[in-house]
Amino acid sequence: GINSELEGEPGKAISIPANISSKEELQRLVGEVHDKAGKIVVLICNAAVNPAYGSMTELPDTAFQKILDVNILSNHWLVQMVLPEMKARKDGVIVIVSSVGGLRGHDKLGAYCISKAADAQLVRNLAVEHGPSNIRVNTISPGLVRTDFARALWENPDILEKRTQFDPLRRIGEPEEIAGIAVYLSSAAGSFTTGQNFVVDGGATIG
């Protein structure tokens, strides 16, 4: 798997599983990162869930709550956990991965889209509050990307063609095409960039 590949490179990566819906698990995760890697310079919140597909009029409260807890609250918790050391150093980068779903209405993914719109606002708030401590906080909003999370939208070639036929680039994105903006934001190149939402979607939202 990808984790073992990364861990095969000395000093390149470590993998620490954690349930992001648990504050205790996230605290353990942060503690283990400190133990194994030292300081946390960049935090990228990339995990999310979407247990519901359909009209919000039939959305169970439990599903709505899970989406809000995992997609928004867990990001808030992780940020709270790493902010003290970043503020002490007067340096840090936080990136929250949102979605183009947070920019438009949707008849089947309403709760998910609400959570992603909230993530973009969380970033703006954090950027304003912690900018004086030289902490840069930004959002990445991917379009359709070839990940397991979006498998239902690209596995079937007919569905994929229909989904991308009006997008300017006429194709699905690849994970490494999202990684590029994360690298920019995490590096010195992005040191004057904060509070922004970077849409990387093959032009889908402008078509």
Side-chain angles (χ1 to χ4, degrees), residues 180-193:
I181 187 65
V183 170
Y184 162 75
L185 292 170
S186 302
S187 72
S191 58
F192 195 52
T193 304

Side-chain angles (χ1 to χ4, degrees), residues 18-89:
N19 177 359
I20 64 166
S21 64
S22 162
K23 195 171 189 178
E24 292 72 27
E25 288 254 322
L26 291 179
Q27 197 67 70
R28 177 187 60 77
L29 170 64
V30 170
E32 281 199 42
V33 172
H34 284 142
D35 292 343
K36 294 180 178 179
K39 64 186 180 181
I40 296 174
V41 180
V42 178
L43 169 67
I44 299 180
C45 298
N46 185 45
V49 298
N50 181 45
Y53 186 82
S55 169
M56 286 194 68
T57 58
E58 292 139 22
L59 180 69
D61 287 352
T62 52
F64 201 0
Q65 192 66 58
K66 182 174 183 179
I67 290 167
L68 298 179
D69 284 350
V70 174
N71 295 3
I72 307 169
L73 189 58
S74 68
N75 292 339
H76 168 69
W77 285 339
L78 264 173
V79 169
Q80 281 187 319
M81 291 170 193
V82 304
L83 267 173
E85 64 181 282
M86 290 182 174
K87 292 181 80 167
R89 289 195 308 266

Side-chain angles (χ1 to χ4, degrees), residues 1-183:
I2 185 68
N3 289 339
S4 58
E5 282 178 40
L6 289 170
E7 289 182 337
E9 297 292 319
K12 295 289 184 183
I14 54 173
S15 173
I16 305 169
N19 177 359
I20 64 166
S21 64
S22 162
K23 195 171 189 178
E24 292 72 27
E25 288 254 322
L26 291 179
Q27 197 67 70
R28 177 187 60 77
L29 170 64
V30 170
E32 281 199 42
V33 172
H34 284 142
D35 292 343
K36 294 180 178 179
K39 64 186 180 181
I40 296 174
V41 180
V42 178
L43 169 67
I44 299 180
C45 298
N46 185 45
V49 298
N50 181 45
Y53 186 82
S55 169
M56 286 194 68
T57 58
E58 292 139 22
L59 180 69
D61 287 352
T62 52
F64 201 0
Q65 192 66 58
K66 182 174 183 179
I67 290 167
L68 298 179
D69 284 350
V70 174
N71 295 3
I72 307 169
L73 189 58
S74 68
N75 292 339
H76 168 69
W77 285 339
L78 264 173
V79 169
Q80 281 187 319
M81 291 170 193
V82 304
L83 267 173
E85 64 181 282
M86 290 182 174
K87 292 181 80 167
R89 289 195 308 266
K90 288 203 174 302
D91 189 41
V93 172
I94 296 167
V95 178
I96 294 179
V97 179
S98 179
S99 166
V100 291
L103 302 172
R104 321 188 268 205
H106 201 290
D107 61 346
K108 298 287 194 300
L109 298 171
Y112 175 78
C113 293
I114 288 169
S115 73
K116 290 305 182 175
D119 278 335
Q121 184 59 36
L122 174 61
V123 159
R124 287 186 284 267
N125 294 348
L126 290 167
V128 168
E129 185 174 351
H130 302 292
S133 297
N134 192 36
I135 296 167
R136 288 88 66 199
V137 193
N138 291 284
T139 316
I140 301 172
S141 288
L144 180 59
V145 178
R146 198 184 307 274
T147 63
D148 283 341
F149 190 81
R151 184 173 290 275
L153 295 172
W154 58 261
E155 215 167 23
N156 182 317
D158 295 332
I159 294 174
L160 179 59
E161 185 179 2
K162 185 178 179 184
R163 173 61 181 74
T164 57
Q165 65 180 327
F166 298 116
D167 296 353
L169 292 185
R170 301 291 198 274
R171 65 174 178 85
I172 191 172
E174 302 298 335
E176 56 266 28
E177 294 179 299
I178 305 302
I181 187 65
V183 170

